[in-house]
Amino acid sequence: MKKVFMVVLLFGIMFPLVAQDIKKSSTLSEKLTQKALQEWKNDHFGMFIHFGVYSKLAGEWKGEKVPFYGEQIMNHARIPVPEYEAVAREFNPKNFDADEIVSLAKKAGMKYIVFTTKHHDGFCMFDTKTTDYNIVKYTPYKKDVVA
């Protein structure tokens, strides 16, 4: 009985403190969310870049236009992994110029850029130790476009 009383007593003391911390955390989280949302509303003009192996295919597979989203072409066209990997081996965006893209965005008045660095196909547009299936280790380009 004594142990049960002690547990109930501790719970009675600790619960309001924990609940208060949760409420403070939720309030802080809500404030941060509202701040981020307001910043996004203020900076609402930006660029979202989808760029990767799928870009090389330009929405077509074996001469046929593939419906739906280009970045999901491997799935929508049911491209076998070995065939898609062969496309990745040839991926060489030699004219990619991050500085030019940023300059263009700034001149247009854009406030941010979001760059898809890994998409549905699993290919990484940056050098990573987690997989060799990336632009540096798998392609003739051999450069980290995110860096």
Side-chain angles (χ1 to χ4, degrees):
M1 184 71 157
K2 229 180 190 180
K3 289 181 183 179
V4 172
F5 176 74
M6 289 300 289
V7 169
V8 171
L9 179 64
L10 282 173
F11 182 77
I13 293 169
M14 296 304 293
F15 182 76
L17 296 174
V18 170
Q20 187 176 11
D21 284 347
I22 290 170
K23 186 175 180 180
K24 282 181 188 175
S25 176
S26 295
T27 303
L28 177 60
S29 177
E30 179 65 24
K31 285 180 183 175
L32 290 173
T33 300
Q34 289 301 321
K35 182 177 185 273
L37 184 58
Q38 189 57 50
E39 286 175 0
W40 179 79
K41 285 179 180 178
N42 293 341
D43 299 340
H44 65 277
F45 185 49
M47 184 183 293
F48 198 106
I49 301 171
H50 276 276
F51 176 56
V53 172
Y54 45 85
S55 303
K56 182 173 177 26
L57 298 174
E60 291 186 8
W61 180 246
K62 295 188 177 180
E64 297 288 322
K65 186 80 176 145
V66 179
F68 309 112
Y69 301 110
E71 66 272 8
Q72 296 178 22
I73 194 168
M74 183 180 177
N75 182 44
H76 292 299
R78 301 198 187 321
I79 303 171
V81 172
E83 290 181 47
Y84 194 81
E85 287 176 343
V87 174
R89 285 268 182 223
E90 297 172 0
F91 183 59
N92 190 3
K94 58 185 177 223
N95 294 323
F96 178 82
D97 186 340
D99 293 331
E100 185 178 340
I101 293 168
V102 171
S103 176
L104 178 67
K106 285 182 177 181
K107 285 178 188 172
M110 294 180 188
K111 303 293 184 185
Y112 65 89
I113 295 175
V114 176
F115 183 79
T116 305
T117 58
K118 182 176 181 182
H119 219 286
H120 296 84
D121 58 8
F123 187 82
C124 298
M125 295 297 289
F126 57 96
D127 192 17
T128 175
K129 293 178 183 172
T130 59
T131 180
D132 288 345
Y133 195 53
N134 67 66
I135 194 163
V136 176
K137 296 176 185 138
Y138 209 79
T139 75
Y141 188 68
K142 302 287 183 219
K143 296 180 212 165
D144 185 330
V145 298
V146 177

